[in-house]
Amino acid sequence: KAVKGGSLRSHMISFPGTFRMAGPEWNTGTNYEINGLVYEGLLTLHPTTLQFMPVLATHWKIDPDKLTYRFRIDPNARFSDGTPVTSADVIATWKFLTDKTLQDLYFYTQFTKLEMPVAESKYIVRIKAKELAWENFLIAGTLRVFPASVLKDIDGRSYLRDYNFKLIPGTGPYVLNESDIEKGK
């Protein structure tokens, strides 16, 4: 319900070689800052209590097996291009982040601890861990979601080639447009 408009200005120590949010050399301080402003996960952690809080998911459930998690996506959640966030976006994001041609060992290792998500409905997605581990629900819940409508046209290889200074639409409160970027400044 934030009021749209305005600008956020920040500084960076050095201009990064890419603004990609995955793949080789994405993990710079500047990219982490952009990531937190442009993209959101299903859940987040409360900064004081460390309890899970809703973001894109309004509700969640952990089955008694402690391996199966269900998330109900807020029907009002939207990407910056106006498209609604659905279970299909979670599935497409998982496929994208586990694509070996993305060359991101961290995301590949994290998300392959989980089976490919399953859409139980347009807004309910089921994610199952392959083995019991304390971090599995955290990994599933904090998956930052990208739009399937964009991911259907790219794989890891084309993302690395075409998205150095262009961002996939996010759900967060800020947008960084390609036209806003002046390389080196």
Side-chain angles (χ1 to χ4, degrees), residues 81-96:
D81 64 3
T83 60
V85 180
T86 68
S87 298
D89 300 308
V90 176
I91 295 165
T93 299
W94 182 90
K95 288 179 180 178
F96 173 67

Side-chain angles (χ1 to χ4, degrees), residues 88-106:
D89 300 308
V90 176
I91 295 165
T93 299
W94 182 90
K95 288 179 180 178
F96 173 67
L97 293 174
T98 60
D99 178 348
K100 286 187 177 183
T101 66
L102 184 60
Q103 300 177 40
D104 196 311
L105 186 57
Y106 175 76

Side-chain angles (χ1 to χ4, degrees), residues 103-162:
Q103 300 177 40
D104 196 311
L105 186 57
Y106 175 76
F107 287 134
Y108 179 83
T109 302
Q110 287 295 89
F111 293 111
T112 57
K113 293 176 184 177
L114 310 170
E115 294 177 3
M116 185 173 74
V118 174
E120 293 190 343
S121 72
K122 183 175 182 178
Y123 296 111
I124 296 176
V125 64
R126 181 180 73 236
I127 302 176
K128 185 171 183 175
K130 293 177 180 176
E131 299 178 355
L132 280 176
W134 68 268
E135 77 266 5
N136 288 339
F137 183 73
L138 178 67
I139 293 167
T142 57
L143 170 71
R144 57 200 166 130
V145 181
F146 303 124
S149 61
V150 173
L151 294 179
K152 71 178 175 54
D153 296 325
I154 59 174
D155 62 4
R157 187 175 288 109
S158 62
Y159 177 74
L160 295 179
R161 182 188 64 233
D162 300 336

